[in-house]
Amino acid sequence: MEARVSLTIPALSHERSLQLAGEIEESFLLDPLAVTINETDEARALWELVLYFETEGEAEAARELPMLAHGVIAPLPQRDWVRQSLEGLAPVAAGRFFLHGAHDRVRRRVGGLSLEIDAGTAFGTGHHGTTEGCLVALDRLLKHRTPRRILDVGCGTGVLAIAAARATGHAALATDIDPEAVRVTLENARLNGVKPRIRSLVAAGLGHPAIADRAPYDLIFANILARPLVALATGLARVLAPGGYLILSGLTLDQSRWIEATYRARGLVLAARIPRGNWVSLVLTRPKRKKRPGGRTPGRFHVPGPKGAGWELDG
């Protein structure tokens, strides 16, 4: 039987609600199917945090954690609640990309690239600030170069790999630890006309031979969480081509400096930060040449980014 854990957070800001949701997603003690935040009382600033589990036993175990001790467990009706929740989401515009569900197909834009994403039971509709930030980063990068070898680690619904394949015309490798994510990615690739250019497979980390066979990569996405990004730092740095770009997300603002330092220690340079609410996407690159003392790297130019952050792209 499906169950729901509901936690109402009174008199706290929306930012705090997002922060708590991030802590839940990072917790090794919890493995919910999905996490949502709903405003229940605008005047009193009340928010409801809902975790979805397959069984009531899993929900009861989650309620033993102090931060969920006051959660209320209730059964869900037998329906496709993931798809139903998506019907309430408006389309998302991220640079040239326009993401929508099947229910918003008629709202597709004339210009740009429209992507229809069916979440199914996988994560990653593009409505989350982390995915949107990655798409904005991709849009800006494509204004200056066209990556040919593309990798999406932790692909979820495949939205990032599909967007890159659509925009560049090149193949992308999309991997995930969850077989359901691989299935959903291939179905979304079919919906968006790029199935021949998307290879999706089950892989934990970077150990699959197919990842090594296609390395090094001009562009890598890793929209996961902070701790896995730390664990993968050495491997991601190794498979990134000189002059290539690595787009990381799944990070809260207070985690970004930790991740920046981790990847800087492996020879990568921060090119941009793209904040979306309490979330941030980082763009890093492996320089082709070392900087000269007292000056900037020759043959490079600066492209301004949001709030003082910028891009360093080869000229």
Side-chain angles (χ1 to χ4, degrees):
M1 179 179 62
E2 292 180 326
R4 180 180 70 179
V5 171
S6 177
L7 175 63
T8 301
I9 309 172
L12 293 178
S13 67
H14 187 210
E15 181 178 352
R16 173 56 185 151
S17 300
L18 289 172
Q19 183 179 8
L20 181 57
E23 292 173 1
I24 291 171
E25 289 184 352
E26 289 182 24
S27 173
F28 291 119
L29 301 176
L30 291 169
D31 188 23
L33 294 173
V35 179
T36 63
I37 298 172
N38 310 309
E39 188 175 26
T40 57
D41 190 328
E42 181 177 4
R44 299 172 60 197
L46 297 180
W47 293 80
E48 180 184 71
L49 183 68
V50 184
L51 289 78
Y52 296 94
F53 294 93
E54 289 184 349
T55 67
E56 185 173 351
E58 291 175 345
E60 289 284 5
R63 195 165 56 173
E64 294 179 3
L65 297 176
M67 60 182 167
L68 298 178
H70 301 295
V72 177
I73 296 175
L76 288 173
Q78 294 299 316
R79 62 175 181 263
D80 189 345
W81 54 266
V82 174
R83 185 177 302 277
Q84 184 178 19
S85 67
L86 290 177
E87 292 177 356
L89 296 176
V92 170
R96 74 192 65 188
F97 301 104
F98 183 78
L99 275 67
H100 63 87
H103 58 286
D104 276 323
R105 195 174 295 163
V106 296
R107 299 173 65 179
R108 286 179 292 189
R109 298 188 305 189
V110 175
L113 291 176
S114 293
L115 303 172
E116 181 174 321
I117 299 298
D118 178 10
T121 54
F123 173 81
T125 64
H127 291 80
H128 197 277
T130 59
T131 312
E132 182 186 350
C134 289
L135 289 172
V136 170
L138 174 61
D139 176 68
R140 294 178 182 171
L141 177 62
L142 291 173
K143 294 175 181 177
H144 304 279
R145 62 179 57 205
T146 301
R148 299 180 61 87
R149 292 163 295 180
I150 302 163
L151 173 65
D152 183 4
V153 179
C155 60
T157 57
V159 58
L160 299 176
I162 291 167
R166 280 279 305 274
T168 66
H170 297 304
L173 176 61
T175 69
D176 201 286
I177 196 171
D178 184 359
E180 177 65 9
V182 170
R183 184 194 70 78
V184 171
T185 291
L186 292 174
E187 176 59 20
N188 282 327
R190 184 192 65 79
L191 283 173
N192 289 277
V194 292
K195 190 171 184 181
R197 296 202 293 270
I198 298 293
R199 181 181 181 188
S200 189
L201 49 86
V202 177
L206 301 169
H208 198 286
I211 297 176
D213 289 345
R214 297 191 179 196
Y217 295 91
D218 306 312
L219 174 63
I220 302 175
F221 298 102
N223 181 13
I224 41 181
L225 293 172
R227 291 178 185 174
L229 286 177
V230 170
L232 291 173
T234 298
L236 288 172
R238 285 176 178 170
V239 297
L240 183 66
Y245 282 83
L246 173 62
I247 300 176
L248 305 178
S249 201
L251 308 169
T252 58
L253 291 171
D254 58 355
Q255 294 169 336
S256 62
R257 296 196 180 280
W258 172 33
I259 299 302
E260 289 172 27
T262 299
Y263 281 80
R264 185 168 58 247
R266 287 155 178 83
L268 303 189
V269 176
L270 181 69
R273 296 185 192 92
I274 301 177
R276 288 294 183 271
N278 193 48
W279 302 95
V280 64
S281 299
L282 303 178
V283 184
L284 301 110
T285 185
R286 176 181 294 284
K288 289 183 178 179
R289 297 176 294 276
K290 292 184 179 180
K291 292 185 177 181
R292 291 176 177 172
R296 294 176 56 186
T297 304
R300 298 169 73 85
F301 61 94
H302 184 74
V303 181
K307 296 184 179 178
W311 294 83
E312 295 290 343
L313 296 172
D314 288 338

